[in-house]
Amino acid sequence: VVTALLLHSPVEGISSAQRDGIVILIFCISVALLLAFLLSILLVRHFISPLKKIGLAAEKIMGGDYSARTEVKQNDEIGFLAENMDQLFVQLSKVEKEREKLDQMRQDFVSNISHELRTPVTVLKGSLEVLAEGLVTDPDEMQEYFQQMLSETVHLQRLVNDLLELSRLQNTNFQIEKVQLNLAEILQEAVRSMQMVSEQKKITIQWESRAGNIRFCGDYGRLRQMFLIVLDNAVKFSPPNQIVSVKSERRENQCVISVSDCGKGFLPEDLPYVFDRFYYERSEQNKSGSGLGLSIAKEIAERHQIRIQCESNAKDFTEFSFVFEENACSEMGIN
């Protein structure tokens, strides 16, 4: 052995280093636990709490409270999910309101039908009972009963036909045949068809065309029916020796066809309901009406994207207007 090196250290230094290491280890564990606790709170606030809010909102919706919302606003996937859920809740709320509206309409419809059928059925039943029991033997009186029953039967037939027509038009699956046609020709035909009825009441139908020929894509029969319904109402409610005015003109970017009369109009509070089913005046002038004509006219107009509107002063003026947008019709030429 040429050289030897001897190293030594006191035991106290090793023990001190061990204690320091343990202290550092405990400190690191404590910091790690604290960080884990803080991160868990953050995760709960950022993920679990929004999911609970979404779940509570969904439970409220399932319970029938369609005003519930998640109230979660975050710029991440959970926020995107909450936004979609809120939009879904809005759509469900709209669907529920529409369902309630349809249910109310169905109830009103059944009520109105029952009311409309009650009178003619009662009259028919009473007349038949009188005739069956032989309480009337005079031929003239019997003829009056027969005429009354025939009148009520005609009213029932018209009511049933109008109901079927309205039901078909309201069915979105019911297709109408649309072809290129001239609205001026349809209007002329409708005016000609009403001439005989108007002459019986000594009413003049004045037609003034300022728009010339109007090209339009629609169903000829349905559009003619729409104009006839409004013309029939105008003639029906006009006093004798009056004028029913029919005009076609252009206003800015629209084609407008109007039918006006000088008969008794609608009260201001009645105007929003003139196109509702069975909303009609029960008078001698309208004793044969079914209360569905204007509803049918409105359905035909809506199926053709035509805006129909009514103006009236409740005294001596009523005007129904049909507004055709420029993209739906264009001028072919001036007569």
Side-chain angles (χ1 to χ4, degrees), residues 46-293:
H46 192 75
F47 294 105
I48 299 178
S49 180
L51 291 176
K52 285 184 177 180
K53 290 182 179 180
I54 294 173
L56 290 174
E59 289 179 0
K60 290 181 179 180
I61 290 292
M62 289 187 292
D65 182 9
Y66 292 93
S67 63
R69 298 294 181 268
T70 61
E71 298 180 356
V72 175
K73 305 294 181 183
Q74 294 181 191
N75 294 324
D76 55 13
E77 287 76 6
I78 293 181
F80 181 71
L81 173 63
E83 183 180 356
N84 288 340
M85 292 292 290
D86 285 338
Q87 292 177 0
L88 176 62
F89 296 160
V90 170
Q91 294 299 322
L92 288 174
S93 178
K94 291 180 179 179
V95 170
E96 178 63 18
K97 289 180 180 179
E98 187 67 24
R99 186 191 66 80
E100 292 176 355
K101 181 180 178 182
L102 290 175
D103 287 342
Q104 185 62 43
M105 288 176 61
R106 190 179 296 109
Q107 293 176 5
D108 294 342
F109 180 73
V110 173
S111 176
N112 290 330
I113 285 293
S114 301
H115 179 76
E116 292 297 324
L117 293 177
R118 185 182 297 116
T119 300
V121 169
T122 302
V123 172
L124 289 171
K125 181 176 180 293
S127 300
L128 288 171
E129 286 177 349
V130 170
L131 293 173
E133 294 175 3
L135 300 178
V136 176
T137 56
D138 183 71
D140 293 336
E141 291 186 12
M142 293 179 64
Q143 187 65 28
E144 289 180 6
Y145 275 97
F146 288 138
Q147 289 295 332
Q148 187 177 25
M149 288 190 294
L150 177 61
S151 176
E152 294 299 334
T153 304
V154 170
H155 176 70
L156 280 174
Q157 184 182 28
R158 179 174 181 179
L159 177 62
V160 172
N161 289 338
D162 286 348
L163 283 171
L164 291 174
E165 185 75 7
L166 184 60
S167 177
R168 280 196 294 263
L169 289 170
Q170 289 178 333
N171 184 5
T172 55
N173 294 325
F174 178 70
Q175 299 294 328
I176 57 177
E177 297 180 2
K178 294 183 178 182
V179 296
Q180 281 289 335
L181 43 80
N182 185 4
L183 285 177
E185 293 179 357
I186 302 176
L187 199 55
Q188 280 180 329
E189 175 63 26
V191 170
R192 279 196 299 267
S193 299
M194 288 300 302
Q195 287 294 345
M196 184 176 296
V197 178
S198 63
E199 288 174 359
Q200 291 176 354
K201 289 193 64 176
K202 299 181 180 179
I203 293 174
T204 303
I205 300 179
Q206 245 180 28
W207 182 44
E208 183 180 357
S209 176
R210 299 178 181 176
N213 295 326
I214 304 172
R215 186 174 59 215
F216 186 75
C217 185
D219 187 305
Y220 184 95
R222 298 294 178 184
L223 292 172
R224 179 178 177 274
Q225 180 185 11
M226 179 182 70
F227 291 136
L228 279 174
I229 289 171
V230 177
L231 281 170
D232 180 67
N233 276 358
V235 172
K236 184 188 300 180
F237 291 103
S238 293
N241 302 315
Q242 293 294 327
I243 295 175
V244 172
S245 178
V246 182
K247 297 180 181 179
S248 64
E249 57 185 335
R250 294 187 179 277
R251 300 176 186 172
E252 297 178 354
N253 297 326
Q254 298 172 333
C255 304
V256 181
I257 294 175
S258 60
V259 179
S260 58
D261 63 80
C262 301
K264 180 182 177 182
F266 299 98
L267 295 173
E269 58 268 23
D270 291 337
L271 282 176
Y273 309 104
V274 295
F275 297 106
D276 290 356
R277 291 175 294 188
F278 300 111
Y279 196 89
Y280 67 103
E281 180 184 5
R282 301 179 184 276
S283 63
E284 183 66 21
Q285 293 172 308
N286 199 31
K287 61 182 179 180
S288 62
S290 66
L292 298 172

